[in-house]
Amino acid sequence: MDPNTSFTMRFTLLLLTILSYSIFAQAQSLYIKTFGKPGSTPLIFIHGGPAGSAVHFEATTAQKLADKGFYVIVYDRRGECRSVDANAALTYEEAFTDLNNIYQQYKLTKANLVGFSFGGLVTTLFAEKYPEKVQAIVLCSALFAQQTTYNHILDTVTRIYRQKSDTEKLREVALVQQLDKKSARYRSECFRLASENGFFRVVHPDPEAQEISRAYDNSALKQTDIRNKNAPERFYKNETRVNIDVQPVLVFLIREKHIPVYGLYGKLDGIFSTGMLHHLEQLLGTKNFRYVDNSSHYLYADQQTVFLDSVTWWLK
């Protein structure tokens, strides 16, 4: 054999080995867990954030969804919660790379994606870039028009504080409104005010939701839900696509790529106005949208039976 040919072959083999190891190592650095049989309908849950995790969904809902005939994959994005990575950029492109590695690791050509909260943005943008890999999308309490969401939060808390004549809180809201709307602090302050006013919870949960909550509070998994508080700041530092509206992307996916998109939202989810969700329903189609009673942001736990039945009906 010609020495040059031999060297080229060895070099190519070495390069392929390094590349394969790099992809494997990158995939393995993520926290990933699967539920159900590999041959079942594949479904990947994409959690909220930045600084989110799949812990709550994993502990409360993943196995029950697998029992419906899905092969459920849950994971924490790089640099968030159990996928510890001090060097994570926390950008959308990094999230796409890790998602593609999950597809490769589990030998998936197509999968259904459930995007929860901020995960809805990750899901929608991934589908825009890789439509051939997406069977269908379920938006669960998912963000889709960030500035409209922030405006709604600030308008609502302003009304609440005016009714209470709480001048100190009104000054607080005014300061938030003066912040850079494309900053991590603006996002954080909006959601802090929403949380303080109970926008994410159900005041009188159903018995099923109460039992789910008790079980989660007593679970070992809950202790692993340790958030990276620096994640939002790093995301806003490294990502240019902040404070975005992905409704045009959803139209593109539905009309041009013929990807079914479904929506599940709680009527008590305080970060969305009824007008926002009515517009989204028109975009997705009435049959592809459910507006759920006595449910807030964590819909899959607030009304778990409705969540499971809806996802099963739409995707199977």
Side-chain angles (χ1 to χ4, degrees):
M1 179 181 292
D2 184 273
N4 291 331
T5 303
S6 176
F7 173 78
T8 301
M9 290 178 64
R10 289 198 301 272
F11 179 77
T12 301
L13 181 60
L14 177 62
L15 186 63
L16 289 172
T17 302
I18 293 172
L19 180 61
S20 298
Y21 176 79
S22 176
I23 292 172
F24 177 77
Q26 191 172 32
Q28 288 301 301
S29 68
L30 295 181
Y31 173 89
I32 309 173
K33 187 168 182 179
T34 64
F35 298 81
K37 298 178 181 179
S40 301
T41 303
L43 184 152
I44 304 174
F45 177 79
I46 302 176
H47 66 76
S53 83
V55 172
H56 189 246
F57 183 85
E58 177 184 337
T60 62
T61 311
Q63 183 58 57
K64 294 177 183 178
L65 195 54
D67 292 342
K68 296 285 187 178
F70 292 96
Y71 183 52
V72 179
I73 300 172
V74 301
Y75 74 105
D76 289 349
R77 279 189 302 276
R78 182 172 304 280
E80 298 185 57
C81 200
R82 296 166 293 182
S83 294
V84 178
D85 184 345
N87 298 315
L90 291 148
T91 60
Y92 286 121
E93 290 300 326
E94 184 177 74
F96 299 163
T97 297
D98 287 335
L99 256 177
N100 278 321
N101 287 336
I102 289 172
Y103 272 78
Q104 181 176 342
Q105 182 176 347
Y106 293 97
K107 298 179 173 60
L108 304 175
T109 54
K110 277 194 172 188
N112 298 288
L113 305 180
V114 175
F116 170 71
S117 197
F118 173 80
L121 299 177
V122 177
T123 296
T124 302
L125 295 177
F126 178 82
E128 179 186 30
K129 189 168 185 178
Y130 302 101
E132 72 282 359
K133 294 189 173 185
V134 180
Q135 187 68 43
I137 292 170
V138 177
L139 301 174
C140 179
S141 310
L143 296 174
F144 56 90
Q146 286 180 288
Q147 188 57 58
T148 308
T149 290
Y150 302 144
N151 290 343
H152 172 67
I153 290 171
L154 295 176
D155 289 346
T156 305
V157 297
T158 296
R159 287 196 299 271
I160 292 171
Y161 296 143
R162 280 177 179 165
Q163 289 172 359
K164 294 179 178 180
S165 299
D166 192 333
T167 55
E168 183 178 341
K169 279 294 184 180
L170 286 170
R171 282 195 295 270
E172 204 172 295
V173 174
L175 290 174
V176 173
Q177 290 172 326
Q178 293 173 19
L179 295 172
D180 178 2
K181 291 180 172 56
K182 291 189 175 182
S183 67
R185 187 182 173 196
Y186 177 76
R187 167 203 172 273
S188 175
E189 289 297 297
C190 287
F191 284 131
R192 177 183 63 81
L193 290 168
S195 181
E196 286 180 1
N197 285 277
F199 286 13
F200 298 104
R201 64 184 177 86
V202 177
V203 177
H204 302 292
D206 294 347
E208 178 188 50
Q210 292 179 39
E211 179 54 38
I212 290 169
S213 180
R214 280 193 293 267
Y216 177 66
D217 287 342
N218 293 322
S219 70
L221 265 177
K222 184 180 180 181
Q223 308 309 314
T224 69
D225 194 4
I226 301 172
R227 307 298 180 91
N228 177 6
K229 295 180 180 179
N230 297 321
E233 191 70 42
R234 184 172 295 183
F235 171 81
Y236 275 79
K237 177 183 177 182
N238 296 328
E239 178 58 65
T240 59
R241 290 166 290 183
V242 298
N243 202 352
I244 58 176
D245 185 336
V246 295
Q247 290 177 99
V249 180
L250 293 172
V251 172
F252 166 75
L253 295 175
I254 295 166
R255 297 180 183 174
E256 301 296 328
K257 295 302 178 180
H258 308 292
I259 295 175
V261 181
Y262 306 97
L264 273 169
Y265 288 80
K267 291 184 180 180
L268 301 180
D269 193 336
I271 71 170
F272 303 108
S273 69
T274 54
M276 289 176 67
L277 296 181
H278 178 65
H279 185 269
L280 183 64
E281 180 180 5
Q282 289 180 317
L283 191 157
L284 303 185
T286 302
K287 292 182 179 179
N288 291 3
F289 187 90
R290 290 198 71 174
Y291 199 24
V292 184
D293 290 326
N294 209 34
S295 175
S296 187
H297 199 61
Y298 295 89
L299 185 147
Y300 57 80
D302 293 340
Q303 290 292 333
Q304 190 171 84
T305 297
V306 174
F307 174 84
L308 295 172
D309 289 348
S310 298
V311 172
T312 303
W313 174 257
W314 284 332
L315 302 186
K316 293 180 70 72

